[in-house]
Amino acid sequence: MKAICVHAFGGPEVLSLEDVPVPVPGPHQVVVRVHAAGVNPVDTYIRAGAYASKPNLPYIPGSDGAGTIEAIGTDVHGIKPGDRVYLLKPGGGALPGTYAERTLCDVPHVHPLPRNLSFEQGAAIGVAYATAYRALVQRVQAQPAETVLVHGASGGVGIASVQLASSRGMTVIGTAGSKRGLELVRTEGAHFALSHNNHDYIERIREFTAGRGVDVILEMLANVNLAKDLTLLAAGGRVAVIGNRGTIEINPRDAMARDAAIYGVMLWNTPPREMQGIQAALVAGFANLTLRPIVGRTFPLAEAAQAHQAVMAPGAYGKIVLTV
Ligand code: NAP
């Protein structure tokens, strides 16, 4: 079968399409025929060798995917060949990834794909929606009627966060860097959308809240924004650090004065029971149409290198997906 393989950490050019053996499931595993694989920024950090946990080389990248069950292990029950599923496999490469025609999965990494979603949409669920739910609901415990700033709302995690927060009765402010991204953020449920490239946008958010500030910030680029986030919080406000690409100086007094809290969010730290809860809530949200995965761009599997360049470029618009 065809798969993208990485033999040495490096730039996008290290992603090469190769023939590899078809996997065989162990007793508690399944093999999924992958029809689409999601591309996440973390896939690029791992490929570059810049991520905390590195897979053994060579490896097949990818945590997200969707397809049909092709084979099941002898001790697998409740799943059968032909079932449509989406996948969320832990990053860091314990099992081969989803950038392949078939992938080996442990049963807890496989979830039913609602009928109303395409395989491309299924590949856009795993990391993005689970992270948004983990941050908004389980970590900062945002409540209906609170005001939530999704700081970086146009990408995978951002759009999922906007849909989740607006469907739960929160007032949602979202930022994006492009006109197209801003339109998407509004369409998907934000009450106020503005560009993080405008010099006065923090002031405009403050005005939107009549000077009170926001209750919750879901932060996609903390090394740029955390210091100003702390000045934008209402009393008792919480920031969830989801994305971060460096260091930043903050004034702790800004947190102190507001009784504010900063929450780190790392999806892979989610305990299994809580992950089960996340997936159950997401499947219900897709079925009742409050959640709708947005696929902005697709590339064929052979063009994984171009997809890795695209996911790190400005102008995000939902998810980037590889078709297999
Ligand atoms: P993505 O689809 O590439 O989206 C990136 C988002 O960041 C876009 O909305 C982009 O907006 C926005 N952005 C760019 N410059 C910004 C700025 N100055 N201020 C605020 N936002 C800005 O990535 P993603 O999948 O949504 O992931 C977002 C971040 O979270 C990434 O760093 C990713 O690695 C991280 N992440 C962490 C976890 C975890 O477990 N902690 C899980 C998933 C993702 P424009 O392109 O419109 O400018």
Side-chain angles (χ1 to χ4, degrees), residues 39-45 51 127-128 130-132 134 150-159 175-179 181-182 185 195-197 201 218-222 224-225 228 241-245 264-269 310-320:
V39 176
N40 287 291
V42 70
D43 302 345
T44 74
Y45 318 151
Y51 199 59
V127 171
T131 301
R134 176 76 180 151
V150 183
H151 212 165
S154 47
V157 181
I159 287 295
T175 75
S178 70
K179 192 162 173 282
L182 284 169
V185 170
S195 171
H196 41 238
N197 296 329
Y201 81 101
L218 302 185
E219 181 52 63
M220 305 304 155
L221 200 56
V224 171
N225 295 326
K228 54 191 173 199
V241 174
I242 297 173
N244 182 60
R245 294 179 180 166
V265 177
M266 178 52 77
L267 180 62
W268 311 126
N269 292 344
V311 79
M312 296 304 281
Y317 192 93
K319 290 287 303 178
I320 292 175

Side-chain angles (χ1 to χ4, degrees), residues 226-241:
L226 187 58
K228 54 191 173 199
D229 285 347
L230 293 178
T231 70
L232 198 49
L233 287 174
R238 295 90 79 202
V239 183
V241 174

Side-chain angles (χ1 to χ4, degrees), residues 20-277:
V20 301
V22 172
V24 177
H28 300 281
Q29 293 178 317
V30 301
V31 171
V32 174
R33 171 67 177 94
V34 179
H35 293 296
V39 176
N40 287 291
V42 70
D43 302 345
T44 74
Y45 318 151
I46 296 171
R47 184 213 69 226
Y51 199 59
S53 73
K54 293 184 187 55
N56 293 327
L57 295 169
Y59 78 99
I60 298 173
S63 293
D64 284 346
T68 47
I69 299 285
E70 187 168 87
I72 63 171
T74 48
D75 292 335
V76 172
H77 305 284
I79 302 175
K80 59 183 189 316
D83 285 355
R84 296 169 87 250
V85 291
Y86 72 89
L87 317 175
L88 172 54
K89 302 176 76 172
L95 282 174
T98 54
Y99 291 15
E101 288 178 338
R102 290 171 185 79
T103 191
L104 188 62
C105 299
D106 292 335
V107 169
H109 306 147
V110 173
H111 310 282
L113 179 64
R115 278 270 141 225
N116 56 321
L117 298 188
S118 66
F119 290 121
E120 285 82 2
Q121 287 178 302
I125 295 175
V127 171
Y129 278 86
T131 301
Y133 194 94
R134 176 76 180 151
L136 185 77
V137 181
Q138 294 184 340
R139 297 289 285 147
V140 304
Q141 301 187 7
Q143 301 297 316
E146 286 196 311
T147 300
V148 177
L149 167 62
V150 183
H151 212 165
S154 47
V157 181
I159 287 295
S161 303
V162 168
Q163 293 173 355
L164 268 173
S166 63
S167 71
R168 297 170 85 86
M170 296 158 199
T171 300
V172 182
I173 303 168
T175 75
S178 70
K179 192 162 173 282
R180 218 173 142 244
L182 284 169
E183 276 161 22
L184 179 67
V185 170
R186 282 188 200 104
T187 309
E188 293 309 314
H191 302 88
F192 186 40
L194 70 181
S195 171
H196 41 238
N197 296 329
N198 284 354
H199 68 97
D200 65 342
Y201 81 101
I202 295 289
E203 256 333 293
R204 292 194 53 212
I205 295 173
R206 222 185 297 280
E207 284 164 20
F208 179 78
T209 66
R212 179 180 169 273
V214 299
D215 300 294
V216 165
I217 300 178
L218 302 185
E219 181 52 63
M220 305 304 155
L221 200 56
N223 54 300
V224 171
N225 295 326
L226 187 58
K228 54 191 173 199
D229 285 347
L230 293 178
T231 70
L232 198 49
L233 287 174
R238 295 90 79 202
V239 183
V241 174
I242 297 173
N244 182 60
R245 294 179 180 166
T247 58
I248 183 170
E249 186 176 311
I250 62 165
N251 184 348
R253 180 169 292 277
D254 291 326
M256 202 170 93
R258 295 166 172 79
D259 283 345
I262 301 171
Y263 287 75
V265 177
M266 178 52 77
L267 180 62
W268 311 126
N269 292 344
T270 308
R273 283 284 303 170
E274 291 175 47
M275 184 58 91
Q276 245 183 324

